Amino acid sequence: YNVQGYPSLKLLWEGETVEFKSSRDLDTMTGFVDNILAQPNTILSTADLRMEQKKNDVVYVLAYDGADKSARTKAALTHVKLNAQKLFQSKKLNLVTNLDVAREASGSAITDLSSPKLLVLKDGKIDLYKGSLTSDDQLHEWFYAERFPLLPELDRENSDDLFYDTDFLVLAVIDTTRGEEHVNSYRDVAREAAIEYARTYGGSAGRQLKSSMRFAWVDGNKWESYVDRVFRLKRSNWPAIVIAQPGEDRFFTTDTKGLPIEATKMGIFLAARAAVEGRLRAQSTNSIIVQAIQVGSGAISATFAMMFGSAVRTLATLSIAAFVAYALYRRSTRGGQGDGLTLVKGD
């Protein structure tokens, strides 16, 4: 099973292996198991549905006639539930058998329940699933693509997916101690930039760049040590925008003029485009060390590996400094016995 470190947690299910990659603490590992065992919610009223929308950035709705016991409906229910569960989306899947609630959820796009309908509510939009409800490949692809909103919050459970499921990740680092208005203001700015980028370079825009881009925000207080170690951003620099390029283990915090990326819609948008086009000055997250950690120990999460690599880099710098200081000390104590740092060149 390619176990390379302990503790390792893997899900073996339906012939597939899913590896747990998040933080190795009890709560997060328990949450991984809870997500596997979670069952879809049964929605009985529009109030129930609104409650789910408040709890989750992404809400899936499977609407069908509860009295329909046909093989087609049973098959659709089975395949939708299975594929949601495989991607740990069961907690966000809501079963609706009331036509009035289905109309509310779909913005009146659903006019009858003669056949099951699947849709997603996120980013203030409603999107109907257009594929086959019994095609595992189509359902898996759809759930995978829809599992994040335009601007998710970075947390321990999604950090690996956010960092290593894209070529570039735009992170808005926000100081949540400054109040709800401050947080909402900068989240809205980052979301507007994400919308503008998707509108300009999304699949339907016809102007796709060759690299993928994802946007997220991070609570600087929860991730202060990580943000400081990996991206060299102190609390005094917040709010800040950092563009990570995980595959290359590097990041960008300045625009084309060498100034900190402006936390405005166009400032973020232009910096994101410039990063993809290779016009920004990159800083390294110490790729050699990070890659060695990731390859050598698959049990270590990506975000931890990046932070640990940064710590190792600091330790290596201190070790070199200590060696040089010791060498100079030894040289000074040799007196007239010659140069203690003489390089010997062979024939």
Side-chain angles (χ1 to χ4, degrees):
Y1 299 110
N2 195 33
V3 174
Q4 300 177 7
Y6 301 106
S8 286
L9 184 59
K10 293 175 183 274
L11 167 65
L12 309 179
W13 183 29
E14 299 287 334
E16 299 179 14
T17 301
V18 180
E19 183 175 359
F20 173 77
K21 296 181 179 179
S22 297
S23 177
R24 261 54 182 173
D25 61 84
L26 180 60
D27 288 343
T28 307
M29 295 178 81
T30 303
F32 173 73
V33 176
D34 287 343
N35 282 333
I36 296 169
L37 300 177
Q39 295 297 312
N41 307 301
T42 299
I43 301 299
L44 301 176
S45 66
T46 55
D48 291 342
L49 182 62
R50 293 193 191 101
M51 183 67 68
E52 290 301 317
Q53 288 181 277
K54 288 182 180 179
K55 287 165 45 180
N56 298 297
D57 291 330
V58 178
V59 172
Y60 304 101
V61 172
L62 178 60
Y64 65 100
D65 184 351
D68 183 359
K69 306 300 181 182
S70 67
R72 179 186 63 175
T73 296
K74 288 181 179 179
L77 284 169
T78 299
H79 285 273
V80 170
K81 289 180 180 179
L82 180 63
N83 283 277
Q85 191 173 27
K86 282 186 175 182
L87 289 172
F88 313 114
Q89 301 296 299
S90 293
K91 286 184 177 180
K92 300 178 182 179
L93 178 60
N94 300 277
L95 307 180
V96 172
T97 58
N98 182 294
L99 180 57
D100 290 334
V101 179
R103 287 198 183 105
E104 170 87 10
S106 67
S108 298
I110 296 177
T111 56
D112 66 80
L113 294 179
S114 58
S115 62
K117 307 288 193 309
L118 178 63
L119 55 116
V120 61
L121 314 176
K122 68 174 186 177
D123 301 315
K125 297 191 303 181
I126 301 167
D127 289 320
L128 279 168
Y129 169 74
K130 297 181 175 61
S132 168
L133 289 175
T134 56
S135 170
D136 289 330
D137 289 341
Q138 292 180 24
L139 284 166
H140 184 278
E141 183 179 352
W142 185 78
F143 275 117
Y144 190 85
E146 299 290 353
R147 70 195 192 285
F148 292 125
L150 271 176
L151 191 76
E153 178 183 359
L154 181 74
D155 58 36
R156 291 181 300 180
E157 291 187 8
N158 66 20
S159 58
D160 267 42
D161 283 339
L162 288 177
F163 270 104
Y164 290 99
D165 190 33
T166 186
D167 296 317
F168 292 87
L169 175 65
V170 178
L171 270 180
V173 184
I174 303 176
D175 184 356
T176 55
T177 65
R178 296 181 62 180
E180 185 177 351
E181 184 176 348
H182 174 86
V183 173
N184 290 340
S185 173
Y186 281 99
R187 279 196 309 196
D188 288 345
V189 165
R191 185 178 291 106
E192 289 171 3
I195 292 172
E196 183 65 24
Y197 196 92
R199 181 185 298 125
T200 306
Y201 298 111
S204 61
R207 300 175 58 191
Q208 298 97 317
L209 294 177
K210 59 184 179 182
S211 299
S212 59
M213 179 76 65
R214 191 183 291 281
F215 293 73
W217 75 279
V218 58
D219 183 339
N221 298 283
K222 293 180 181 178
W223 292 72
E224 183 171 4
S225 177
Y226 175 80
V227 168
D228 183 9
R229 287 176 180 271
V230 177
F231 302 126
R232 291 87 149 175
L233 289 173
K234 305 291 185 183
R235 178 179 287 270
S236 58
N237 301 127
W238 306 346
I241 304 299
V242 57
I243 303 175
Q245 191 176 6
E248 301 295 331
D249 293 310
R250 61 181 187 173
F251 64 95
F252 314 87
T253 56
T254 55
D255 60 19
T256 54
K257 298 178 182 178
L259 300 173
I261 297 173
E262 188 177 356
T264 63
K265 172 184 171 181
M266 290 311 297
I268 298 171
F269 171 82
L270 293 174
R273 184 175 67 184
V276 173
E277 294 172 348
R279 295 189 290 112
L280 298 186
R281 179 179 176 274
Q283 299 182 63
S284 173
T285 57
N286 199 0
S287 60
I288 295 177
I289 294 175
V290 172
Q291 289 174 10
I293 293 171
Q294 291 172 345
V295 172
S297 180
I300 298 178
S301 71
T303 46
F304 179 79
M306 292 179 73
M307 184 169 68
F308 186 66
S310 177
V312 172
R313 179 185 59 228
T314 302
L315 180 60
T317 302
L318 292 174
S319 298
I320 292 171
F323 172 78
V324 171
Y326 177 73
L328 291 174
Y329 167 75
R330 291 283 297 169
R331 180 178 182 180
S332 67
T333 58
R334 285 177 179 267
Q337 298 180 19
D339 190 347
L341 293 179
T342 302
L343 296 177
V344 179
K345 183 176 181 180
D347 293 332

